[in-house]
């Protein structure tokens, strides 16, 4: 696979058409301990509905809140139990298996310090590591590299390695970026297509007709047997599921293949789009289930490709914010606040859901509508960076997550 | 009033130019019409001054030399094969027969010379009978790509792009095709020498430059057309090719089903026999350049569209072209096409008539016609119904996002995917200027938009791009769709696909 070294200038970012992840060599301290840790960050863009991914089935207000969209242990599609209170979306059997093996941790009711509801700003806060929007030059993962003492090197320096057609902000910064060009570009998602169709229907009927025809043709192509693995209940899968699964798996697999190499990167990042489920969310068998299934598959691919290095690996899955606690008028959820973060990997002391549960009664919701954040997702990341990569707390509090000295790294996440 | 002017500025940038860049709308808002007129008056506007570019003669000779080297290599290869085949018959061990084919140096036929932009899979198996390996683009393709980059850069860097749009219009009106024989190396030089040089000059001069240009003479076969009674015709027994004469009458000047007959076509073809090029094989200094070869020219007077032209050699053809350029049917035909390109598939008749009249009144002064176009009320009142042609849309998207691709090849690939490969129309009529031809390609545009958006999303702020590229043209629905997008790439893709950005 060709790898290109790019200085992460804005110009180079345009040139780097490829998938990207962050790349760094072993921290000296970890090496001294005989460890060789890997960290892969996956950003879910669009805001994951944390309540649909990990349902608080033990909360007495849960079913009342979501009605027939509430995942339960005894529903038509039963959620997978995690503990006495939480259960996992059934689209994620691999992650459930890892959880049972003590290799996955969910952090619930977590959020960044961002409290507005703009995707762009929310993603910037999540990835820049700065407490407020407007800082888009460098990401926390890149700055974390500057905090790692470089080892005696074969390659000439610290590097960032990133996958995905857009270089995620989280890896941008002074450390050079290595890019990998994936064999396939992410397809224009069905979500984009549907949004465009909606726009055309309201503004330009001729253009709407053309897009409708394309969607019709695509449906015919799919029914022609390309996807031999229909969705649950025999219902046709939402459009493009096979493509999305393939893209997630291919990108994640490529990341893992690089990271497993003895001379390969140790830190990476990639981003998956499509989580903005305003309408027809499809928690149990529709769009969100398909996306969660694709994510589940991607994590399984990483586990497989990492081979024995999986026991030294942490995969951190984060999203810019959560979604409304209640279902909206179009069987979806709107932009919210708290959600989940997911850690997976053999290096974890897993099999736990970490939460300071805020409750789901109306008065307990943030601004009367969103799951209230009770854990700062930066504390989770700081915990991983501190214990996994051995980045010192001073650097974490000033350089990696500026002005976060009062926010202690979450302890005890790792074995 | 300020709001209306801003709206007009944004409309004008899309309709007459290549779309706004950052700050364009504000820059034009004080006087949109005046800005368009001012661009027409800018010194050497429309010209490209790049001394590294080859003239059409230089390009033709470079391409010829390249083909000679290839041909030599092919012949050498064939000779090797024959020697090997004979050697094999004489029971030489078969391993030896494999080796020489591999030693042939890399000068091989260019897979891309006539085959377009699509990359072809390399032949990797070292098999003496297999097609030779592709060594990369040959000289003609290199020249083509250099010219393509210059053209795209000119469109990207233009202030409004009105004159560049006129260049694109006339280049398509007088199209040649890179897919025809030796034309690939010449299309860029052709556009510079025949179109740009006269884009704001007299139509008669452009017509003369076009029809006597080697690229056109090769494209429409006139270089090989021989008067039956000329010395060459009598001696070689070869004859007339009507192709160019017909297309001049049908497409370039009067228009189809107007005032000419089949006899006019034949006699006009006779008139322009001898309009050919110096053969590169015999003319190392002038090869590939225009040559009036009297030995190929049909002797005698010819009657074309009701007028008889005495045989004055090359001037006989020039006289016909000069009259065709000034024929009222030509004015009407061109006015219709201009109005269709810029304003509407079915342009207002009053506008067409005004353009034709201006054309007639000014002896085909194209600058005056362009001025009439942008000062006509219809040019501003017409609804924004035209779907941008693929090339226009690609350039306007790059301008909106403020990026200049360092490599022109992805831009060319986007042209190809959207059905408008540069300088490669499928017929002498050029690419269509009607919505019906392009609307079904909209779905492909979404894929291109998605790719472009993903590449530049790290560099730009979608809301700023909306303001810069659409400004007052953006509907509330479009703004809402962009602001609610789940990511910057999605927001940008929606912007590039918005009806206000697709239509002008």
């Amino acid at each position: 696979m060709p790898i290109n070294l790019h200085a992460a200038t804005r110009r180079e970012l345009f040139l780097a058409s490829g998938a990207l992840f962050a790349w760094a060599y072993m921290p000296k301290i970890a090496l001294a301990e005989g460890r060789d840790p890997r960290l892969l960050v996956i950003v879910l863009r669009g805001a994951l509905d944390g309540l649909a991914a990990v349902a608080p089935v033990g909360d007495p207000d849960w079913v009342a809140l979501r009605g027939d969209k509430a995942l339960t242990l005894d529903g038509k599609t039963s959620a997978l139990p995690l503990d006495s209170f939480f259960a996992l979306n059934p689209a994620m059997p691999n992650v459930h298996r890892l959880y049972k093996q003590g290799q996955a941790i969910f952090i619930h009711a977590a959020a960044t310090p961002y409290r507005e509801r703009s995707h762009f700003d929310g993603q910037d806060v999540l990835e820049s590591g700065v407490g407020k929007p407007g800082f888009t030059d460098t990401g926390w993962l890149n700055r974390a590299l500057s905090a790692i003492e470089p080892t005696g090197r074969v390659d000439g320096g610290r590097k960032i390695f990133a996958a995905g057609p857009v270089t995620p902000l989280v890896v941008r910064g002074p450390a050079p970026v290595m890019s990998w060009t994936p064999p396939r570009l992410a397809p224009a998602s069905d979500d984009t297509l549907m949004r465009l169709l909606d726009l055309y229907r309201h503004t330009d009927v001729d253009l709407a007709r053309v897009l409708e025809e394309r969607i019709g043709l695509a449906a015919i192509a799919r029914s022609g047997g390309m996807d031999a693995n229909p969705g649950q209940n025999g219902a046709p899968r939402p459009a493009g599921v096979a493509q999305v699964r393939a893209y997630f798996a291919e990108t994640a697999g490529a990341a893992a293949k690089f990271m497993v190499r003895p001379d390969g990167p140790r830190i990476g990042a990639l981003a998956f789009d499509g989580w903005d489920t305003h309408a027809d969310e499809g928690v149990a068998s529709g769009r969100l289930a398909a996306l969660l299934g694709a994510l589940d598959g991607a994590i399984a691919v990483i586990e497989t490709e990492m081979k024995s290095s999986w026991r030294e690996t942490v995969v951190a899955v984060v999203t810019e914010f959560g979604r409304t606690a209640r279902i909206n008028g179009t069987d979806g959820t709107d932009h919210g606040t708290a959600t989940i973060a997911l850690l997976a990997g053999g290096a974890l002391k897993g099999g736990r859901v970490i939460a300071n549960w805020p409750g789901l009664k109306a008065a307990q919701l943030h601004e009367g509508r969103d799951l209230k954040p009770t854990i700062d997702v930066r504390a989770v990341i700081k915990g991983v960076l501190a214990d996994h990569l051995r980045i010192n707390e001073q650097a974490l509090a000033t350089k990696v997550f500026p002005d976060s000295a009062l926010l202690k790294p979450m302890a005890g996440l790792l074995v | 009033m300020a709001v209306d002017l801003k709206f007009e500025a944004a409309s004008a940038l899309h309709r007459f130019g290549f779309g706004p860049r950052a700050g364009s709308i504000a820059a034009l808002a004080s006087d949109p019409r005046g800005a368009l007129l001012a661009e027409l008056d800018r010194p050497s506007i429309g010209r490209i001054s790049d001394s590294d570019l080859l003239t059409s003669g230089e390009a033709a000779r470079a391409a010829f030399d390249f083909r000679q080297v290839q041909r030599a290599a092919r012949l050498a290869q064939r000779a090797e094969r024959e020697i090997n085949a004979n050697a094999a018959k004489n029971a030489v061990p078969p391993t030896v027969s494999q080796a020489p084919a591999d030693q042939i140096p890399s000068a091989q036929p260019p897979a891309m010379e006539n085959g377009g932009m699509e990359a072809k899979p390399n032949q990797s198996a070292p098999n003496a009978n297999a097609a030779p390996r592709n060594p990369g683009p040959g000289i003609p393709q290199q020249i083509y790509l250099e010219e393509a980059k210059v053209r795209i850069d000119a469109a990207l860097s233009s202030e409004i792009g009105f004159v560049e749009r006129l260049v694109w219009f006339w280049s398509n009106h007088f199209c040649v095709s890179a897919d025809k024989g030796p034309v690939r190396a010449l299309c860029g030089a052709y556009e510079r020498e025949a179109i740009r040089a006269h884009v704001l000059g007299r139509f008669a001069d452009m017509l003369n430059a076009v029809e006597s240009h080697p690229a056109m003479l090769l494209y429409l076969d006139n270089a090989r057309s021989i008067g039956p009674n000329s010395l060459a015709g009598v001696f070689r027994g070869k004859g007339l090719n009507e192709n160019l004469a017909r297309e001049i009458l049908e497409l370039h000047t009067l228009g189809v089903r107007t005032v000419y007959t089949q006899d006019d076509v034949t006699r006009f073809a006779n008139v322009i026999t001898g309009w050919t090029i110096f053969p590169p094989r015999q003319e190392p200094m002038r090869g590939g350049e225009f040559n009036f070869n009297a030995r190929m020219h049909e002797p005698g007077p010819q009657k074309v569209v009701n007028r008889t032209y005495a045989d004055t050699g090359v001037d006989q053809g020039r006289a016909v072209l000069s009259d065709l350029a000034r024929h009222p049917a030509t004015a009407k035909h061109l006015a219709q096409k201009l109005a269709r390109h810029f304003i509407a598939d079915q342009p207002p008749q009053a506008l067409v008539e005004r353009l034709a009249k201006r054309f007639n009144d000014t002896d085909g002064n194209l600058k005056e016609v362009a001025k009439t176009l942008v000062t006509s009320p219809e040019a501003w009142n017409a609804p924004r119904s035209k779907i941008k042609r693929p090339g226009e849309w690609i350039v306007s998207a790059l301008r909106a996002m403020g990026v200049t691709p360092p490599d022109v090849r992805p831009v060319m690939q986007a042209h190809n995917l959207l059905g408008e490969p540069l300088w490669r129309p499928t017929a002498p009529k050029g690419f269509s200027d009607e919505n019906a031809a392009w609307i079904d390609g909209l779905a492909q545009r979404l894929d291109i938009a998605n790719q472009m958006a993903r590449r530049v999303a790290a560099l730009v702020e979608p809301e700023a791009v909306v303001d810069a590229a659409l400004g007052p043209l953006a509907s509330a629905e479009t703004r809402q769709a962009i602001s609610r997008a789940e990511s910057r790439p999605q927001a940008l893709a929606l912007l590039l696909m918005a009806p206000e950005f697709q239509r002008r």
Side-chain angles (χ1 to χ4, degrees), chain A residues 88-112:
Chain A
L88 181 62
N89 191 296
M92 305 194 78
N94 283 304
V95 172
H96 190 249
R97 172 179 54 78
L98 290 171
Y99 180 92
K100 291 289 173 198
Q101 294 168 5
Q103 297 183 353
I105 300 175
F106 293 97
I107 299 91
H108 217 320
T112 72

Side-chain angles (χ1 to χ4, degrees), chain A residues 52-72:
Chain A
V54 175
V57 293
D59 189 307
D61 299 305
W62 169 236
V63 173
L65 186 76
R66 289 243 165 150
D68 62 357
K69 305 290 187 300
L71 283 177
T72 59

Side-chain angles (χ1 to χ4, degrees), chain A residues 9-11 13-15 17 45-47 119-121 123-124 136 164-167 172 185-189 191-193 195-196 199-200 202-204 206-207 209-211 213-214 247 273-278 287 320 335, chain B residues 387 398 402-407 439-444 446-447 450-463 475 477-479 481-491 493-494 497-500 502-503:
Chain A
T9 62
R10 292 170 82 77
R11 167 57 62 197
L13 287 175
F14 178 66
L15 292 174
S17 61
R45 294 189 200 281
H119 288 301
F120 311 152
D121 285 350
Q123 287 161 23
D124 285 351
T136 56
V166 184
T167 311
R172 280 185 240 156
L185 280 167
S189 71
D191 178 52
T192 305
L193 190 61
R195 285 168 191 254
L196 186 61
L199 174 60
Y200 284 178
H202 286 95
T203 56
D204 197 319
D206 290 342
L207 300 189
R209 179 187 53 77
V210 172
L211 269 206
E213 282 167 11
R214 162 172 161 145
Y247 180 74
D273 300 348
W275 304 87
D276 195 18
T277 48
H278 282 284
R287 172 170 158 205
E320 67 260 34
H335 298 182
Chain B
I387 293 176
L398 293 170
V403 293
T404 301
D407 182 355
I439 192 167
D440 289 328
L442 211 74
Q444 277 75 46
L446 175 58
D447 290 337
N450 191 48
Q451 289 181 22
M452 285 199 281
R454 281 166 170 268
R455 288 188 183 208
V456 304
L459 312 181
V460 296
E461 197 60 46
E463 317 249 342
S475 67
E477 291 88 345
T478 291
R479 284 193 181 274
I482 290 165
S483 67
R484 287 186 178 173
E486 70 165 11
S487 64
R488 283 189 178 87
Q490 187 180 60
L494 290 171
M497 293 306 295
E500 306 93 300
Q502 290 291 337
R503 296 186 189 267

